[in-house]
Amino acid sequence: MNHVVAEPVIATPYETRVHFLGRARRTATPLRRDFVQKPRSEAVRPSVLSTFVKNRDHRGLLAYLFILAVTSKENADGWTTRLDSRVWARCFGTTENTSSDAASLGAVSKILQRLEERRLIEVQRVSRSEAAVTLLREDGSGRLYTRPGLDNKDAHIQLPHEFWTNELDAHLKLPGLAMLLVLMCEPAWFGLASERYPAWYGWSADTAERGYKELLTHQLADFRERIVKAPAAPLGYTKTHQYKLAPPFRHAPSTGGKTGRPDAVPAGGKEVGNNVEQSEPSTAASPQAG
């Protein structure tokens, strides 16, 4: 009797990511705001996110966000996740764009090396096939990781796991992902003068505009144009483009009218925090610790 050997059913990268997200037992990933932009007390505002954008490292940014998402508990090795390198490859999607297992694993090694060079993680080879990845603080300082919202009041956002389960990681390009993170750090109806993006975030206004267009295309944000009286402007007014995230993504809460930087864009409201408070109350919920 001839026995037919069935071909193995292999888990896809999407199924692998969903599995480990479920194992993390939470619905969102906390991410310190310092990753997106340094505090106002710093002379230079662009932070680690700008390094990914300037180096066009979309895959590296997605890999880092996924490592944060699945490393949900501290253990004897710190905030560490241990996986077979072939599993890391599926999580990072390198199996989809390479011609061989060796090339896929090589891509994983290069991704982890870049993240380690940016002092976001530490990597230890547990065996020939297993890699242990330990989180460091999100600001690239190389300090030990602590979970924001636990025993501290560090400003942070919550990236919903719907980002992964709705496959936005596959649909948003790097500018869209960068501006999604920026908007999550700001109050609703965020607007900023185009010349401010390089100094505040480390990338051009053109990159920001491409990112906004992506968010609008995928219905992840709403847009409005505000006309503001400006006596010194040639036409006596200026136009401000403002953006508000759609659920399940949430804006940072308004800071309640505290005075912000003098270079914030007038948007029909008060200057607060880093930028401009919306001229109508925000319905966005305040980020909570995940």
Side-chain angles (χ1 to χ4, degrees), residues 213-235:
K213 287 181 179 178
E214 286 186 61
L215 297 179
L216 294 175
T217 296
H218 294 291
Q219 299 182 326
L220 299 177
D222 295 321
F223 160 83
R224 74 182 184 185
E225 184 177 78
R226 305 291 281 182
I227 297 178
V228 181
K229 183 189 299 182
L235 297 177

Side-chain angles (χ1 to χ4, degrees), residues 121-272:
I121 61 170
E122 289 182 342
V123 181
Q124 180 183 4
R125 290 291 173 184
V126 180
S127 66
R128 290 184 61 185
S129 62
E130 188 178 22
V133 178
T134 301
L135 293 176
L136 299 176
R137 193 177 170 96
E138 301 99 315
D139 60 5
S141 64
R143 289 182 290 169
L144 294 177
Y145 178 81
T146 58
R147 183 174 170 182
L150 291 181
D151 301 324
N152 64 65
K153 296 182 179 180
D154 293 344
H156 65 282
I157 61 175
Q158 292 279 354
L159 183 64
H161 284 181
E162 285 96 330
F163 173 80
W164 306 100
T165 57
N166 292 344
E167 298 187 87
L168 292 175
D169 58 305
H171 293 118
L172 281 183
K173 298 178 182 179
L174 184 55
L177 177 53
M179 295 315 301
L180 174 66
L181 296 176
V182 165
L183 288 181
M184 292 183 69
C185 289
E186 301 293 347
W189 297 121
F190 167 73
L192 186 65
S194 59
E195 65 270 17
R196 299 298 181 190
Y197 283 98
W200 280 30
Y201 298 109
W203 55 81
S204 68
D206 287 342
T207 296
E209 186 61 28
R210 290 198 299 273
Y212 286 135
K213 287 181 179 178
E214 286 186 61
L215 297 179
L216 294 175
T217 296
H218 294 291
Q219 299 182 326
L220 299 177
D222 295 321
F223 160 83
R224 74 182 184 185
E225 184 177 78
R226 305 291 281 182
I227 297 178
V228 181
K229 183 189 299 182
L235 297 177
Y237 66 88
T238 59
K239 291 182 179 180
T240 301
H241 292 176
Q242 298 179 330
Y243 299 86
K244 181 179 180 181
L245 288 170
F249 300 99
R250 295 185 295 179
H251 286 273
S254 167
T255 57
K258 294 180 182 179
T259 302
R261 288 173 48 128
D263 52 3
V265 180
K270 295 176 289 185
E271 295 177 359
V272 299

Side-chain angles (χ1 to χ4, degrees), residues 9-83:
V9 179
I10 301 174
T12 66
Y14 173 80
E15 291 168 338
T16 303
R17 285 190 285 267
V18 169
H19 169 78
F20 286 105
L21 289 170
R23 201 174 72 168
R25 298 184 180 276
R26 58 185 181 185
T27 60
T29 304
L31 173 66
R32 280 181 175 83
R33 179 181 177 145
D34 289 354
F35 176 77
V36 178
Q37 184 185 47
K38 292 180 181 179
R40 283 181 293 167
S41 57
E42 299 286 340
V44 178
R45 300 300 303 280
S47 190
V48 187
L49 179 58
S50 68
T51 303
F52 288 92
V53 176
K54 288 187 292 188
N55 287 279
R56 301 181 181 180
D57 192 7
H58 189 203
R59 179 179 286 180
L61 177 56
L62 288 173
Y64 176 62
L65 293 176
F66 185 78
I67 293 169
L68 277 174
V70 299
T71 309
S72 59
K73 184 173 64 174
E74 188 175 17
N75 51 45
D77 297 329
W79 293 86
T80 302
T81 296
R82 295 188 180 195
L83 294 177

